Amino acid sequence: MLVVFDFDSTLLDGESIDILAKKYRVESAVSYITKEAMEGKLDFFESLIKRVAFLEDMPLSLVQESIRNDFTLMNGAIECIQALRDMGHIVVCFSGGFHIITEYFKDRLGLHATFSNILHHKNAKLTGKIGGDMMFADSKGRMLQNLQGVLGLQSDECVVIGDGANDLSMFSYADTRIAFCAKEILRRQATHCVENKDLREIISILEAMDK
């Protein structure tokens, strides 16, 4: 199977942009926009552009320092992914967040690949601009369709796990849809809901499917 995880508030215990904003002392403005976007009250693309703009002129060294010191993986994340790989599954991450962060954690988590956005920087500072394949509300769904085509997989061979509104599009292309400590808008579309902040609960869901 192909197992696709969201990153922020799923593999990561928190939202990447909120953590960076706190480090740069602009968290109050950014966190409110994040909350509205994850509940589906704001267009994801517009909210992403607005939030990243608050990070303009943030030193790249401060971003890297924050990634090393301020980011905490979700409880059970490493064990969960290792177990899924031991079952023979392909495990990847789709993130509306940032490549500099998902790639930092890729090997530590044991992910086969990550798909995320690029924080543009110039002269060792963030420009407040962003680009990439995960910037829109339907981005994760389109990427899942692409991977299904490349790998020759059907929806019944795909598992998706997320927590927010921008995960809805990938929920449309997988038969097994796990809402992890999720917003109500996502829970309504899920086949399984995990309420505890421990990703090891997902192992038993997939083990039951293999029987």
Side-chain angles (χ1 to χ4, degrees), residues 8-176:
D8 292 342
S9 296
T10 303
L11 290 176
L12 183 75
D13 191 359
E15 293 287 326
S16 294
I17 194 163
D18 291 352
I19 297 169
L20 292 180
K22 183 176 182 179
K23 191 75 170 182
Y24 198 44
R25 299 183 179 180
V26 292
E27 69 269 27
S28 58
V30 170
S31 61
Y32 175 76
I33 300 173
T34 298
K35 180 177 180 293
E36 294 287 288
M38 290 304 99
E39 292 177 354
K41 297 176 182 178
L42 292 177
D43 176 78
F44 183 75
F45 172 74
E46 292 176 347
S47 73
L48 183 62
I49 297 297
K50 288 179 181 178
R51 287 178 289 166
V52 171
F54 282 103
L55 301 180
E56 184 178 0
D57 290 329
M58 184 176 184
L60 187 59
S61 61
L62 190 61
V63 174
Q64 294 164 335
E65 176 189 319
S66 183
I67 294 170
R68 291 192 301 269
N69 299 329
D70 303 327
F71 283 67
T72 303
L73 293 174
M74 188 63 70
N75 190 28
I78 294 173
E79 297 91 333
C80 176
I81 292 173
Q82 184 58 59
L84 299 184
R85 289 188 60 142
D86 288 345
M87 294 178 201
H89 302 316
I90 300 169
V91 188
V92 303
C93 163
F94 289 176
S95 176
F98 314 123
H99 180 267
I100 191 172
I101 299 168
T102 59
E103 282 298 297
Y104 179 87
F105 287 106
K106 175 176 173 281
D107 291 339
R108 183 175 168 190
L109 284 163
L111 294 165
H112 286 97
T114 74
F115 301 84
S116 49
N117 298 313
I118 306 293
L119 279 173
H120 185 255
H121 57 87
K122 185 177 181 180
N123 299 324
K125 290 185 177 182
L126 299 186
T127 63
K129 307 294 184 184
I130 186 171
D133 294 324
M134 290 288 163
M135 293 179 62
F136 302 94
D138 64 347
S139 293
K140 294 184 180 183
R142 287 188 288 106
M143 185 61 73
L144 180 53
Q145 284 183 292
N146 287 339
L147 284 184
Q148 287 171 334
V150 170
L151 299 173
L153 298 174
Q154 303 299 317
S155 61
D156 62 353
E157 299 170 293
C158 296
V159 177
V160 293
I161 302 120
D163 76 297
N166 70 320
D167 297 313
L168 278 170
S169 65
M170 68 176 179
F171 269 40
S172 298
Y173 300 101
D175 285 7
T176 302

Side-chain angles (χ1 to χ4, degrees), residues 5 7 12 21 24 33 46 55 112 132 180 184 198 203 208 210:
F5 282 89
F7 187 74
L12 183 75
Y24 198 44
I33 300 173
E46 292 176 347
L55 301 180
H112 286 97
F180 180 78
E184 181 59 29
D198 189 338
I203 299 171
D210 284 345

